Amino acid sequence: MEDDLWAGEMRLCSVAGVEVLLLRTDDGDICALQSNCPHQEHPLSNGEFDGTILTCAAHLWEFDAFSGHSVNPDDAELAQYPVKVHDGNVLVSVEGIKPKHSHA
């Protein structure tokens, strides 16, 4: 449910067998990103989210929650999944979207 995710929070969920990290930005937007860091596949849910930037706990890689693009380093990316809110339910589509990988 949309109301279960507060601004600045993140939650790991499963959509059609795919682990997805839901984030609610400081602006109230809900984003859905791949759940593992593209660097060495550490779970991003173990990291920190400040409402805008998602930081991987393993090596402190930072990602913009809105775009999925890395901030530091600047050459990586997270897969984004389309999100739609309908009647208070958060609907995420994972069809045809593969997690991204990056240099090690």
Side-chain angles (χ1 to χ4, degrees):
M1 294 295 289
E2 176 184 20
D3 294 338
D4 292 337
L5 191 62
W6 293 57
E9 281 189 333
M10 61 179 168
R11 181 162 302 141
L12 188 63
C13 63
S14 181
V15 178
V18 176
E19 282 195 347
V20 172
L21 189 62
L22 287 179
L23 304 109
R24 184 135 203 190
T25 68
D26 285 341
D27 293 338
D29 294 326
I30 297 177
C31 304
L33 301 171
Q34 75 184 59
S35 63
N36 291 328
C37 184
H39 177 218
Q40 293 183 347
E41 298 189 27
H42 290 280
L44 290 168
S45 59
N46 291 340
E48 295 183 15
F49 178 55
D50 70 2
T52 304
I53 301 295
L54 173 62
T55 304
C56 179
H59 299 103
L60 304 180
W61 282 31
E62 298 174 319
F63 300 90
D64 179 280
F66 297 99
S67 68
H69 292 267
S70 60
V71 177
N72 182 25
D74 64 359
D75 61 347
E77 185 178 9
L78 297 173
Q80 288 184 286
Y81 303 100
V83 175
K84 181 177 173 181
V85 177
H86 181 71
D87 291 334
N89 294 306
V90 178
L91 308 173
V92 178
S93 175
V94 296
E95 187 175 334
I97 301 173
K98 302 277 187 211
K100 308 261 182 172
H101 300 283
S102 187
H103 58 84

